[in-house]
Amino acid sequence: SFLQLKLWNKYRVSNIPSLIFIDASTGKVVCRNGLLVIRDDPEGLEFPWGPKPFSEVVAGPLLRYNGQTLDSNALEGSYVGVYFSAHWCPPCRSLTRVLVESYRKIKEAGQKFEILFVSADRSEDSFKQYFSEMPWVAVPYADEARRSRLNRLYGIQGIPTLIVLDSKGDVITRQGRVEVLNDIECREFPWHPKPVLELTDTNAVQLNEGPCLVLFVDSEDDGESDAAKQLIQPIAEKIIAKYKAKEEEAPLLFFVAGEDDMTDSLRDYTNLPEAAPLLTILDMSARAKYVMDVEEITPEIVEAFVSDFLADKLKPEPI
């Protein structure tokens, strides 16, 4: 039913079974990984399972790649990449190779940065083998409870995932993987999220994470995609700020898409008209699309389209 779909989307559920705990008085999500909670705390001793600060969840000894240990409070005052990964997963191994270089570049640029490996390996031996390729620190494999708490804290649904934290332990971005692959020179570190992204092969995975506004433009025309970004940016910033004030994630991601093979296949897959500019909201998980085909796209049109979508006033077409 429509209401079920709304709930799936609101909580960005990508696999089942999924158990999400909510504070009924505020409507805020207390914990995304309810199934892990019940496994880890069957007696309910940690109830109400709300998010704890990173420093508290990570507390304890960490391993260095050279076999020494250090205390987790050594991370304080640094940017931290919390890296959920495993040797058995090919995309993890290829990300690790890139990440080793990124780590080196960021440290050489004089930034205080550490990466914490949280393993999803299937044995201590494969953990050791994988960790031997990494120049950073790790939660000991044997400390399954702490690894599980970190998975719970960030609601990890799949690997590889790289969460980048600021020096206070607050999340800067959950999209560290996309950022690292898009910014090989690490010029944008620590990768504060941009309100509007240019759609690329690496960030297209984000289209599956919930509703996305995608403005398709004719990129033969130089400057067209910059103009499109400037058009959407103030609206995106306003929405992000509004939800940030409520300590919630924005209900929409914003993209500008030029013309390339990936955009062509996205248009084919979602069955969109050829027109450019074309203003759309695509909701892959709900297999729904909303299309605004007008001659000229103005800030007023975008703003009305977005507010109608958020108020459930638009009628979805199937993808």
Side-chain angles (χ1 to χ4, degrees), residues 11-306:
Y11 298 114
R12 302 203 173 169
V13 174
S14 56
N15 45 15
I16 53 171
S18 222
L19 175 60
I20 296 172
F21 293 115
I22 292 156
D23 177 341
S25 60
T26 61
K28 283 203 175 79
V29 172
V30 175
C31 170
R32 290 190 166 280
N33 286 31
L35 296 167
L36 274 182
V37 168
I38 285 169
R39 193 196 73 190
D40 292 352
D41 183 21
E43 306 286 311
L45 302 175
E46 293 179 36
F47 183 83
W49 305 306
K52 298 185 168 69
F54 169 69
S55 57
E56 190 180 318
V57 175
V58 78
L62 301 176
L63 292 179
R64 274 198 179 290
Y65 61 94
N66 58 13
Q68 295 172 328
T69 58
L70 77 163
D71 192 87
S72 58
N73 60 20
L75 299 175
E76 283 169 23
S78 294
Y79 292 108
V80 177
V82 189
Y83 183 37
F84 297 85
S85 185
H87 191 261
W88 52 261
C89 146
C92 292
R93 291 201 301 275
S94 56
L95 180 60
T96 297
R97 287 193 288 275
V98 177
L99 200 49
V100 168
E101 286 304 301
S102 305
Y103 179 74
R104 194 175 52 75
K105 286 175 185 151
I106 292 165
K107 301 278 267 192
E108 279 174 3
Q111 297 274 11
K112 292 187 75 174
F113 179 52
E114 197 45 81
I115 291 177
L116 174 67
F117 171 40
V118 183
S119 165
D121 289 295
R122 292 176 177 149
S123 71
E124 174 95 40
D125 283 345
S126 62
F127 162 75
K128 281 185 174 146
Q129 183 198 340
Y130 194 27
F131 187 42
S132 70
E133 302 165 18
M134 301 177 182
W136 44 72
V137 300
V139 176
Y141 185 78
D143 195 341
E144 205 175 320
R146 196 161 27 140
R147 289 191 289 128
S148 184
R149 282 199 299 271
L150 284 158
N151 270 281
R152 260 163 50 194
L153 178 62
Y154 298 116
I156 301 302
Q157 303 229 345
I159 53 172
T161 295
L162 178 67
I163 310 253
V164 182
L165 309 178
D166 66 17
S167 56
K168 298 197 292 288
D170 295 327
V171 174
I172 293 175
T173 178
R174 300 179 57 90
Q175 300 294 339
R177 174 195 188 179
V178 171
E179 297 292 357
V180 163
L181 296 175
N182 261 344
D183 179 24
I184 294 296
E185 293 303 316
C186 307
R187 293 202 176 96
E188 311 267 321
F189 178 83
W191 302 304
H192 287 282
K194 296 190 183 73
V196 183
L197 294 171
E198 211 152 317
L199 194 62
T200 64
D201 283 335
T202 42
N203 66 25
V205 296
Q206 289 176 256
L207 291 175
N208 297 316
E209 296 199 355
C212 297
L213 179 132
V214 186
L215 174 53
F216 292 89
V217 295
D218 173 5
S219 57
E220 299 297 299
D221 181 356
D222 281 350
E224 187 77 25
S225 56
D226 285 343
K229 264 196 207 156
Q230 282 160 11
L231 174 77
I232 303 175
Q233 182 124 351
I235 297 156
E237 282 172 347
K238 198 151 80 178
I239 284 175
I240 292 164
K242 179 180 155 187
Y243 282 82
K244 192 172 183 174
K246 300 198 277 188
E247 292 180 34
E248 288 177 28
E249 277 187 48
L252 261 182
L253 295 173
F254 295 85
F255 290 93
V256 167
E259 282 177 304
D260 55 31
D261 293 346
M262 193 209 44
T263 306
D264 285 346
S265 60
L266 176 63
R267 279 184 188 254
D268 288 345
Y269 176 72
T270 52
N271 209 356
L272 288 169
E274 276 300 299
L278 183 69
L279 182 63
T280 66
I281 289 174
L282 303 177
D283 191 344
M284 298 303 212
S285 55
R287 303 195 62 81
K289 65 182 177 196
Y290 307 83
V291 182
M292 192 84 178
D293 189 356
V294 289
E295 283 297 298
E296 193 195 350
I297 291 170
T298 64
E300 293 72 32
I301 286 173
V302 177
E303 194 138 7
F305 186 52
V306 168

